[in-house]
Amino acid sequence: PELSQRMFRLVKATRDVGNAYETAGQRRVTVALQLADWGEQTADTAISDLADKVGVILTEIGELDKKYAIAADIARTHLKLIRDTERSVHPSREGMQRVTDELQKIMAKDPQSDRVVMLEQEFQRARAKNLVAEAQLTNVTRQNFKEAYRKEFDAVIERAEKQIIMARHGHRLLRLLDYEAVPPGSVPEPYTGDTQARQILNDAKDDLKDWTPESRSV
Amino acid sequence: PELSQRMFRLVKATRDVGNAYETAGQRRVTVALQLADWGEQTADTAISDLADKVGVILTEIGELDKKYAIAADIARTHLKLIRDTERSVHPSREGMQRVTDELQKIMAKDPQSDRVVMLEQEFQRARAKNLVAEAQLTNVTRQNFKEAYRKEFDAVIERAEKQIIMARHGHRLLRLLDYEAVPPGSVPEPYTGDTQARQILNDAKDDLKDWTPESRSV
């Protein structure tokens, strides 16, 4: 039936969104490893240390995208419930329509027939069944529509707030890099940022651990 | 040379990350359209209106991912500058090595040769050239490493802050949906949220327009 078809497509497309974030997150983790690799073989100790630690920040940002993909998939289970209910309502609508059609046919041909009483009883049963089905559809649809997108928006906010935490600590790391141009034959000031850089990563880890969702903290 | 090879791989992998976000954003826009389509054909006016407007929020969240992919690509241009400088330093290192090798060979065979003076002069020129190249490499690498990831982190923060704005207004939309279960044969309370829902989308648009990056507002 057309109704459940559209939700079927929506559920499928929602899975594609989750897969794309999973891929994006994984690729970012790969980039982070390659960045650390590159930094390791440069002769510049500041770059080696900071490329490694910026890599840690990027890895965490990538992992947050992967976690978001999982959260998006939980939202999808609610859409599936809507889809399945839409599908199950269809036979009860058809059943009621079939009895109605038959009743009208008999009434036109032979209104005194015993079949009329039987069909009227059958119609009442089909109608009761369909009323329940339609109420279920309304209730399931509203509850799960709300729940699906509530979880989706919660997941967007969680990922965003945590990625902001990581990116801000990333900025702190970059401020440790002296980038005044050195003249030929000179070397840059010796790099002394490694202790501070390690502390920044610890701060980032702590901030991430301390994060609570708004709804829980309010 | 090995040095520029690693940065070459990193630049390529960074492009893959951007592409994955572009895909994710586009898929989310598709989902938003399908959600509105599905809502349109349900008999429930509340769902029709809210599915359409939640779709507008999701579309904007998707567009933000696509914009983020473009920003990530600007960061990549800085990595390319590092890669190209790494590549260009290689010949000057090799040139100096070649003269050094030749000089040692002559010194071992015939230290009084006229070639020695010539090669010593050549070594000084090659050394001067290489010192400039190495200083360029240090400067270009530090400046562009810093700039690449500064822009990357800025882009992460901008996308995250704007997606939080959209998701919060999304939550407001969902609160307009009454989802108390109705008994069979009843219909839900008539939906009266459409004016408010339209206002929420206007608020979201305004908030997005008013957004300024921290670095600019501080």
Side-chain angles (χ1 to χ4, degrees):
Chain A
E2 173 66 11
L3 188 64
S4 63
Q5 269 307 315
R6 292 208 190 176
M7 186 45 94
F8 181 84
R9 272 201 298 273
L10 180 57
V11 168
K12 196 173 164 307
T14 302
R15 189 184 57 204
D16 293 342
V17 174
N19 288 344
Y21 278 105
E22 165 75 30
T23 302
Q26 191 48 54
R27 285 185 183 171
R28 206 196 281 274
V29 172
T30 302
V31 154
L33 291 173
Q34 290 184 344
L35 178 63
D37 267 0
W38 164 78
E40 215 170 68
Q41 59 142 30
T42 66
D44 188 332
T45 53
I47 290 289
S48 291
D49 187 52
L50 291 171
D52 184 62
K53 293 192 168 69
V54 165
V56 173
I57 298 281
L58 292 178
T59 298
E60 192 51 54
I61 291 177
E63 293 295 342
L64 287 165
D65 279 319
K66 287 163 72 181
K67 276 177 207 153
Y68 168 74
I70 294 166
D73 216 59
I74 290 168
R76 197 164 61 91
T77 61
H78 292 285
L79 299 181
K80 279 184 186 168
L81 279 171
I82 297 178
R83 180 196 63 193
D84 295 344
T85 308
E86 285 183 343
R87 196 183 276 159
S88 75
V89 162
H90 190 67
S92 89
R93 284 186 187 170
E94 276 192 332
M96 203 168 74
Q97 193 57 49
R98 206 179 50 242
V99 182
T100 309
D101 290 350
E102 212 177 323
L103 194 55
Q104 283 179 335
K105 225 186 292 171
I106 290 278
M107 291 291 275
K109 223 169 58 183
D110 178 9
Q112 309 302 327
S113 162
D114 290 350
R115 286 280 292 147
V116 170
V117 178
M118 293 295 290
L119 282 169
E120 273 171 351
Q121 285 173 355
E122 207 183 315
F123 174 76
Q124 277 161 18
R125 291 192 299 270
R127 186 166 166 275
K129 186 180 165 189
N130 183 244
L131 281 177
V132 171
E134 298 288 351
Q136 286 169 342
L137 179 59
T138 300
N139 295 336
V140 167
T141 300
R142 288 188 168 206
Q143 280 157 10
N144 286 282
F145 170 80
K146 188 157 182 160
E147 198 54 23
Y149 291 102
R150 207 177 60 79
K151 283 186 179 155
E152 171 89 37
F153 292 141
D154 277 346
V156 167
I157 291 170
E158 175 166 351
R159 178 183 63 138
E161 288 183 346
K162 288 181 171 176
Q163 287 189 341
I164 287 170
I165 290 172
M166 296 315 290
R168 283 194 184 139
H169 287 295
H171 275 309
R172 286 178 66 202
L173 282 176
L174 295 176
R175 282 196 285 271
L176 296 177
L177 182 64
D178 172 23
Y179 65 117
E180 278 201 29
V182 296
S186 305
V187 287
E189 293 289 307
Y191 174 66
T192 56
D194 50 345
T195 312
Q196 246 183 298
R198 216 170 12 246
Q199 184 55 48
I200 290 171
L201 288 190
N202 287 338
D203 292 349
K205 215 166 67 179
D206 288 346
D207 285 354
L208 218 52
K209 216 171 53 199
D210 290 346
W211 180 89
T212 47
E214 271 178 26
S215 53
R216 223 187 289 163
S217 63
V218 172
Chain B
E2 172 66 11
L3 188 64
S4 63
Q5 270 307 315
R6 292 208 190 176
M7 185 45 96
F8 181 85
R9 273 201 298 273
L10 179 57
V11 168
K12 196 173 164 306
T14 301
R15 190 184 56 203
D16 293 341
V17 175
N19 288 344
Y21 278 106
E22 164 75 29
T23 302
Q26 190 48 53
R27 286 185 183 171
R28 205 195 282 274
V29 171
T30 302
V31 155
L33 291 173
Q34 291 183 343
L35 178 63
D37 267 1
W38 164 79
E40 215 170 69
Q41 59 143 31
T42 67
D44 188 331
T45 52
I47 290 289
S48 291
D49 186 52
L50 290 172
D52 184 63
K53 292 193 168 68
V54 166
V56 174
I57 298 280
L58 292 178
T59 298
E60 191 51 53
I61 291 177
E63 293 295 342
L64 287 165
D65 279 318
K66 288 162 72 181
K67 276 178 209 152
Y68 168 73
I70 294 167
D73 216 58
I74 292 167
R76 198 165 59 92
T77 61
H78 292 285
L79 299 181
K80 280 185 186 168
L81 278 171
I82 298 177
R83 180 196 63 193
D84 295 343
T85 308
E86 285 183 342
R87 197 182 277 157
S88 76
V89 161
H90 190 67
S92 89
R93 284 185 186 170
E94 275 192 331
M96 203 169 72
Q97 192 57 50
R98 206 180 48 242
V99 183
T100 309
D101 291 349
E102 211 176 324
L103 194 57
Q104 282 179 334
K105 225 185 290 171
I106 290 278
M107 292 290 274
K109 222 169 58 184
D110 177 11
Q112 310 302 327
S113 161
D114 291 352
R115 286 279 292 147
V116 170
V117 178
M118 293 294 291
L119 281 169
E120 272 171 354
Q121 285 174 355
E122 208 182 313
F123 174 77
Q124 277 161 20
R125 289 193 301 270
R127 187 166 167 275
K129 186 179 165 189
N130 183 244
L131 281 177
V132 170
E134 298 288 349
Q136 285 169 344
L137 178 61
T138 300
N139 295 336
V140 166
T141 300
R142 288 186 168 208
Q143 279 157 12
N144 286 283
F145 170 81
K146 189 158 182 157
E147 197 55 22
Y149 291 102
R150 206 177 61 79
K151 282 185 180 156
E152 171 88 37
F153 292 141
D154 277 345
V156 167
I157 291 171
E158 174 164 350
R159 178 182 63 138
E161 288 183 346
K162 288 181 172 177
Q163 288 188 342
I164 288 171
I165 289 173
M166 295 316 289
R168 283 195 185 139
H169 286 297
H171 276 308
R172 286 179 65 202
L173 282 175
L174 295 176
R175 281 195 285 271
L176 296 178
L177 183 64
D178 172 23
Y179 66 118
E180 280 201 28
V182 296
S186 307
V187 287
E189 292 289 307
Y191 174 67
T192 55
D194 49 345
T195 313
Q196 248 182 298
R198 216 168 13 246
Q199 185 55 47
I200 291 171
L201 289 190
N202 287 338
D203 292 349
K205 215 167 65 181
D206 288 346
D207 285 354
L208 218 53
K209 215 171 52 200
D210 290 345
W211 181 89
T212 46
E214 271 177 26
S215 53
R216 222 187 288 162
S217 64
V218 171

